[in-house]
Amino acid sequence: PDAVSRRHIWLIFLSRAEKTAVFSDEQLAELADIQLNGRQIKNVVKAAHLLALEQKADLQPAHIRTVMEIRADNSSKLTRCKL
């Protein structure tokens, strides 16, 4: 999907998560620029939401950032893996 579609997908999944903080237009635009499909966005939001619940906090952009960093780190490790 293009950035406009991804922004819409982010909004849908963020609105479905309980106790979500308000994400600014700038934050949503930044998320929409990341090349993810709908399934990946759903999984990032789900993991970030679980992280927020564990911390007894509202879902914040920092939770999304943490999951994205873990995802990127794991992706690079998979690329280097020689099975």
Side-chain angles (χ1 to χ4, degrees):
D2 64 2
V4 173
S5 298
R6 285 191 301 271
R7 184 181 194 283
H8 182 71
I9 294 167
W10 278 105
L11 280 171
I12 288 170
F13 288 116
L14 288 170
S15 70
R16 290 181 184 172
E18 296 177 21
K19 296 185 177 183
T20 301
V22 175
F23 283 64
S24 70
D25 286 336
E26 183 179 288
Q27 291 165 328
L28 288 169
E30 186 178 328
L31 290 172
D33 284 340
I34 302 167
Q35 297 289 324
L36 297 174
N37 62 40
R39 177 186 51 80
Q40 292 167 317
I41 292 170
K42 178 182 78 169
N43 290 339
V44 167
V45 172
K46 182 186 269 187
H49 183 243
L50 290 172
L51 178 61
L53 286 174
E54 179 65 26
Q55 296 175 351
K56 295 178 176 43
D58 291 352
L59 176 59
Q60 301 281 338
H63 296 111
I64 299 287
R65 187 177 315 108
T66 298
V67 172
M68 295 294 286
E69 288 171 356
I70 292 168
R71 184 182 175 280
D73 185 50
N74 286 338
S75 178
S76 67
K77 285 179 183 175
L78 286 174
T79 303
R80 293 178 293 192
C81 183
K82 297 176 182 173
L83 292 177

